[in-house]
Structures are given as structure tokens and as C-alpha cells.
Amino acid sequence: NIYGAQASDGDNWPEDGTRCLDLLNELLPALQYYAYIEIAPTEKHLWMSYQPILAAHGDVFAMQRITGPADIYPVLKDLFRKQRA
């Protein structure tokens, strides 16, 4: 049972998004679940880069954004809620 999580401000060079996407595609088959949390008021490069992963692997990959301190607990609670069998 391997779970992963990443929190980022989403700011990166556009070409880095391709590298991150490739790495996630390699990792996801070995993971039970992976959560990406972007801490930014609007969608950044990394958020956009991860959209194809969400579309293809939404059963094991989730993304949410935190725009302010009030979002932290609700976002974490939702991303890591207990899944029904």
C-alpha cells in the first residue's frame, strides 16, 4: 500500500510539466493513490500539466487547490477521506 502526495505553488517552467507528467505516469501503476494539492489562487502550469493524468487515472489520482488558510483542512479532509470498499 503506497500512497503519494504533492503540494506545490504550481509555478514551474512549462517544459518541466512534461517531465513531471512522465514521472507520474511511471509511478501511478505502483501506487494506491496520489494527491496533488496546488497552493495558488488560480491554475498554474503544473495544474494544467496534470489534467491528462486526472482524466486517465481519476480512480487513483486527485487534484485540489488551496487558495487560502481556510481551505487547508477541508481540502485535506476531502482528499484523504476514507473510501468505501
Side-chain angles (χ1 to χ4, degrees):
N1 288 331
I2 302 172
Y3 298 83
Q6 175 186 8
S8 173
D9 65 1
D11 243 350
N12 69 340
W13 298 102
E15 58 271 10
D16 289 343
T18 302
R19 185 170 181 213
C20 292
L21 194 61
D22 291 343
L23 288 169
L24 265 181
N25 275 317
E26 286 181 38
L27 287 173
L28 280 177
L31 302 177
Q32 294 293 315
Y33 181 71
Y34 190 92
Y36 172 64
I37 302 163
E38 191 161 282
I39 305 164
T42 60
E43 296 173 357
K44 301 281 187 119
H45 293 295
L46 199 51
W47 181 275
M48 301 308 289
S49 296
Y50 283 172
Q51 289 295 322
I53 293 278
L54 182 62
H57 302 283
D59 55 333
V60 296
F61 181 79
M63 297 189 335
Q64 289 210 24
R65 187 171 26 262
I66 292 174
T67 59
D71 296 336
I72 295 169
Y73 181 72
V75 164
L76 292 175
K77 183 179 175 184
D78 184 52
L79 285 172
F80 298 104
R81 72 185 178 280
K82 195 172 201 174
Q83 299 293 315
R84 292 193 172 137

